[in-house]
Amino acid sequence: MAFERVNVERIVGNCSAETGPCATVSVQAPVVEMASHDAKIRVNSYIVNQVKETFASVANVDVEPIIQQSAQELADSFFAHYEAFTQEFPDSPQRWSVDIKGDVLGNAYSVVTYKMHRETYTGGAHPNHETHYATFNAANGKKLKIGEIVRDTANLNNIAEPYFREAVDIAKDLPLMESGFSFDQNKFQVPNNFGMVQEGIIFHYNPYEIAPYAAGEISFLVPYDALGGAKGIKVTRKKVKTN
């Protein structure tokens, strides 16, 4: 599976000035250029929908009405919304932005992991930001669930919890709620947001998911060895060419 990077960069107003109104759109996202027909359609559809969901959240609308719009059209709508705001509130200069960046992460297995970071600001106390991971079957582009990757899903939370606690620096015997983290019934649970990388599986929580905004985004990695090594992973490893 081969990717090419798509870049959309747009600016309205004088963003080089320290003050004053301006708005920016930046989309940097690799899209599939070469793959099987199904893989190309499935992975690119995921990427496009991620971009459109970002613009839909900024405009406070459902994603369905904008599903047929291109990235350029979505940027046009964002700037129109921004200009309407500045005309209605000329004494409230703001600097709006949409920043989307995608990356393809390497690993030793027959899958492709896509990471997309999205950050938006349309006024308020702080920008909104989140990161999403998705792991796809490289042959057909199917988005994989954790149960299609890890064999021992029954013990996954128990395996992963020590790595989470280490990442956020809390003692192994301290209740999660007392540490400022909110889980159902105060029991640790891995998120559905994950990706396979070279060293293991990254699990990722976005702001407000298990903690206040100030806690930021929280990622932790569970090494493949902790999951049983090659025997604990359902997907096959890439074939290594030898002379």
Side-chain angles (χ1 to χ4, degrees):
M1 189 178 291
F3 289 80
E4 63 176 348
R5 183 168 289 275
V6 172
N7 296 320
V8 176
E9 303 284 344
R10 300 272 300 276
I11 297 175
V12 167
N14 183 12
C15 290
S16 61
E18 293 185 3
T19 60
C22 78
T24 62
V25 167
S26 175
V27 179
Q28 302 177 40
V31 297
V32 179
E33 181 182 23
M34 294 180 61
S36 69
H37 175 74
D38 287 346
K40 186 173 183 178
I41 289 177
R42 285 171 172 165
V43 177
N44 283 346
S45 293
Y46 168 84
I47 297 167
V48 169
N49 284 339
Q50 284 282 308
V51 172
K52 292 183 176 181
E53 285 175 7
T54 306
F55 280 97
S57 67
V58 170
N60 197 26
V61 299
D62 293 333
V63 72
E64 291 301 324
I66 66 171
I67 203 68
Q68 298 301 325
Q69 293 184 8
S70 68
Q72 294 287 359
E73 290 171 325
L74 291 168
D76 289 340
S77 298
F78 171 74
F79 288 128
H81 189 51
Y82 165 76
E83 289 175 348
F85 175 88
T86 58
Q87 290 177 11
E88 185 175 358
F89 303 100
D91 296 327
S92 178
Q94 294 189 8
R95 304 168 76 88
W96 286 17
S97 62
V98 172
D99 190 357
I100 302 171
K101 184 177 181 180
D103 287 297
V104 181
L105 306 181
N107 63 80
Y109 290 84
S110 55
V111 299
V112 170
T113 293
Y114 200 96
K115 174 186 178 182
M116 182 169 282
H117 181 74
R118 316 185 311 196
E119 182 167 323
T120 62
Y121 182 75
T122 55
H126 54 70
N128 293 310
H129 58 89
E130 53 189 28
T131 301
H132 295 271
Y133 291 84
T135 295
F136 301 91
N137 180 306
N140 59 28
K142 179 183 177 183
K143 186 173 181 285
L144 300 176
K145 299 177 181 178
I146 194 65
E148 296 172 293
I149 296 173
V150 176
R151 295 190 187 279
D152 192 6
T153 53
N155 290 315
L156 179 58
N157 289 331
N158 291 332
I159 294 170
E161 184 172 355
Y163 295 96
F164 167 78
R165 287 177 174 269
E166 181 180 4
V168 296
D169 194 25
I170 56 175
K172 63 180 181 179
D173 56 348
L174 189 66
L176 294 168
M177 187 173 295
E178 291 183 16
S179 303
F181 297 99
S182 177
F183 290 92
D184 187 32
Q185 298 180 1
N186 200 31
K187 293 182 179 180
F188 174 80
Q189 186 171 358
V190 296
N192 291 324
N193 190 3
F194 67 88
M196 295 184 73
V197 295
Q198 195 70 33
E199 303 84 1
I201 298 179
I202 287 180
F203 293 94
H204 188 87
Y205 302 96
N206 282 309
Y208 298 120
E209 195 170 349
I210 60 169
Y213 178 87
E217 300 184 31
I218 299 171
S219 290
F220 66 98
L221 184 138
V222 179
Y224 291 122
D225 287 347
L227 299 168
K231 293 182 179 180
I233 302 298
K234 292 183 178 180
V235 296
T236 58
R237 294 182 67 88
K238 295 176 182 177
K239 293 182 180 180
V240 179
K241 293 182 180 181
T242 57
N243 294 331

